[in-house]
Amino acid sequence: MVVPRVLGRSLDDLQPLISLLEAVGFAHGNEWHEGGAHGMEMLAPNGGFELIASPETPAVDAMVEVSDADAAYEIVKKLAPTISQEMGKNGALLQGIVIRKEIGDTAYGARLFEVEVSGLRLGFLTYPRRPEANGIEAPLDARGKRFAVVVSRFNSFITQRLLEGALLALRQCGADATGISVVHVPGSFEIPLVARQLAESKSYAAVVCLGCLLRGDTAHYDVIVNEVTRGIGQSAQETGVPHGFGVLTCDTLEQAIDRAGLKSGNKGYEAALAAVEMACLREKVSLQPAAAREGRR
């Protein structure tokens, strides 16, 4: 089911909200144009209705459940000034993202903050979860860590977009620009070799691998896909350094464009987030007592 909301007179009016939803994990759905109207469908991993009876008027138009409200809050704080600056480039400075309620605890134990963007007031929250026995999770915290990004020049029209997504994710997670090394290689086949060399240097918390392979008329595609996938996986397993897998394997150019930021999110962005989480998780697991690790086997 799709719930439409009219929030502006042009697609430009919706851009701040679209950018915000992208940053917290929404994907693009259908985009349509009819007469002077424009629409962009934003897809959440899952969703539902919550029915509330209350004597008070709700403070928000919609509530979005996220896996980590504190991490989402940090992303929104970094995104808000950027959105306002971009909106002001071609005219008067318009209202971008405004934080209406700082992150905090609710009476029912959730973490919640509220923003207003494109005329819509949204609440972002994480419900309290039951503690898991021996459960270990890691935050998306790149502060103080160094990351390497290996990106293929072949199909650069696509890989450049993947790179932009990966760098955005790393910055939003707190990585310093001086702690990110970008290494360009000729094609995807060369990614595993350089990724392994970077991982073996022990200078990086994780390596993000970005490339684009398009199916052709011969078996060459299948051979390269298998070798690249095997090589990246083997490098991660044998060096112990997490590798974010952002190599697209698509049948058509249209599929690649969709996965590089159009309809299906940006896989470079997702690969970088996975790399950050795995880097933090690796640290947390290494701090566990040896006896506890042995007991989980």
Side-chain angles (χ1 to χ4, degrees), residues 55-73:
E56 300 178 0
T57 302
V60 296
D61 298 303
M63 194 71 74
V64 180
E65 184 179 356
V66 292
S67 59
D68 187 338
D70 289 273
Y73 181 69

Side-chain angles (χ1 to χ4, degrees), residues 35-213:
H38 307 266
M40 174 68 76
E41 186 180 25
M42 301 300 294
L43 304 176
N46 52 59
F49 279 105
E50 183 175 2
L51 305 179
I52 301 172
S54 172
E56 300 178 0
T57 302
V60 296
D61 298 303
M63 194 71 74
V64 180
E65 184 179 356
V66 292
S67 59
D68 187 338
D70 289 273
Y73 181 69
E74 293 301 321
I75 290 174
V76 171
K77 282 204 303 183
K78 293 176 182 176
L79 189 65
T82 303
I83 292 296
S84 295
Q85 290 169 12
E86 289 179 353
M87 293 180 67
K89 286 179 181 178
N90 299 318
L93 184 64
L94 302 176
Q95 180 173 296
I97 299 173
V98 179
I99 296 175
R100 293 299 186 191
K101 184 176 183 179
E102 303 287 335
I103 186 79
D105 296 319
T106 67
Y108 46 91
R111 295 285 286 169
L112 168 71
F113 70 95
E114 297 173 7
V115 303
E116 186 173 342
V117 55
S118 297
L120 190 68
R121 187 155 179 172
L122 298 175
F124 292 87
L125 85 166
T126 301
Y127 287 106
R129 291 182 298 175
R130 295 177 181 176
E132 301 176 22
N134 298 324
I136 303 175
E137 291 187 2
L140 291 172
D141 187 358
R143 291 173 296 178
K145 296 180 176 63
R146 298 187 66 207
F147 295 87
V149 182
V150 185
V151 57
S152 164
R153 284 196 301 268
F154 194 73
N155 289 324
S156 61
F157 171 70
I158 298 297
T159 60
Q160 184 62 32
R161 295 186 179 190
L162 297 176
L163 176 60
E164 291 170 358
L167 294 178
L168 175 61
L170 292 174
R171 290 195 299 268
Q172 288 179 345
C173 291
D176 189 273
T178 59
I180 303 173
S181 299
V182 179
V183 182
H184 297 269
V185 295
S188 294
F189 185 76
E190 289 75 27
I191 291 176
L193 174 63
V194 175
R196 187 182 188 101
Q197 186 176 2
L198 291 166
E200 288 177 341
S201 73
K202 302 301 181 183
S203 299
Y204 301 98
V207 180
V208 183
C209 303
L210 307 175
C212 177
L213 293 166

Side-chain angles (χ1 to χ4, degrees), residues 23-46:
V24 297
F26 280 69
H28 284 192
N30 294 323
E31 180 178 357
W32 55 265
H33 303 270
E34 184 175 337
H38 307 266
M40 174 68 76
E41 186 180 25
M42 301 300 294
L43 304 176
N46 52 59

